[in-house]
Amino acid sequence: MYARDELEEMVRRWLEANRRCEERGDWRPLADLYTEDATYGWNVGPGQDFMAVGRQEIRDLALGSEMGGLDGWSYPYQSILIDERRGEVVGFWKQVADARRPDGSPYEVPGIGGSWFRYGGGLRWCWQRDWFDLGNVTAVFVEMMKAGVLSDGMRRRLERAASGTPVPGYYARAETPVPLW
């Protein structure tokens, strides 16, 4: 059992830190809100997962290289659910680019994205798993590429992914360094 007010304070700090990171275009400071041994991962399709193990990998890989090229994007939370009995939080967010379509609407990933957190005490997360619709993400990136509005960082990131060069943190499901669930 966790104190409801402590979990609400964690969420408040998390949302404020997210807002600051969005403004700066640098997500790495969020790593300070994880325990030293935290894990952060997501599924990227059949048989493949991403997993950052420990605060430093979360900073360097999940929040550094994986968020690289997404400067100008925002991830507004739409709803947050707190389970103080289990110390878990689920947040539903959108993915919105700062680039605009010719009609003035922002490029936004349709569907549901979210994060599932486990609280580790001391106002830090010890576990996070994200979900998003990779098909919709890909479609928006392709649309932006065709329109010529991808950031230089995102173009480099997509070129790296297309090169076939192994990217740190990505594993075949059987090789993921810690259980995802």
Side-chain angles (χ1 to χ4, degrees), residues 9-166:
E9 176 62 15
M10 179 69 217
V11 169
R12 187 195 67 72
R13 288 178 185 214
W14 177 255
L15 294 174
E16 177 59 25
N18 268 274
R19 186 191 61 72
R20 286 191 313 269
C21 289
E22 285 175 1
E23 288 174 358
R24 294 178 188 142
D26 181 4
W27 302 92
R28 293 172 297 173
L30 287 175
D32 295 335
L33 296 174
Y34 293 88
T35 62
E36 191 64 42
D37 61 348
T39 61
Y40 178 7
W42 55 83
N43 176 263
V44 289
Q48 189 176 31
D49 298 305
F50 172 88
M51 183 62 65
V53 180
R55 185 184 298 148
Q56 196 58 48
E57 275 194 14
I58 291 171
R59 184 183 317 278
D60 295 342
L61 300 179
L63 302 171
S65 62
E66 286 304 302
M67 293 301 287
L70 294 170
D71 41 314
W73 284 70
S74 65
Y75 293 80
Y77 278 79
Q78 306 300 298
S79 183
I80 295 175
L81 307 171
I82 298 173
D83 180 347
E84 64 268 13
R85 189 177 42 80
R86 295 181 56 151
E88 295 183 350
V89 174
V90 175
F92 298 93
W93 37 257
K94 293 180 175 269
Q95 295 172 276
V96 184
D98 61 346
R100 301 267 173 191
R101 293 182 172 94
D103 69 1
S105 65
Y107 289 92
E108 180 178 322
V109 176
I112 295 175
S115 297
W116 176 13
F117 303 92
R118 287 197 183 133
Y119 187 60
L123 297 170
R124 288 187 167 72
W125 305 122
C126 65
W127 186 93
Q128 180 180 347
R129 300 300 179 268
D130 287 352
W131 69 89
F132 52 90
D133 184 326
L134 188 59
N136 280 328
V137 169
T138 302
V140 169
F141 286 164
V142 168
E143 181 185 2
M144 292 175 74
M145 188 180 332
K146 288 179 180 178
V149 296
L150 279 180
S151 69
D152 290 339
M154 183 53 70
R155 271 196 295 284
R156 285 190 301 274
R157 182 174 175 203
L158 293 175
E159 288 167 3
R160 179 189 65 181
S163 74
T165 304

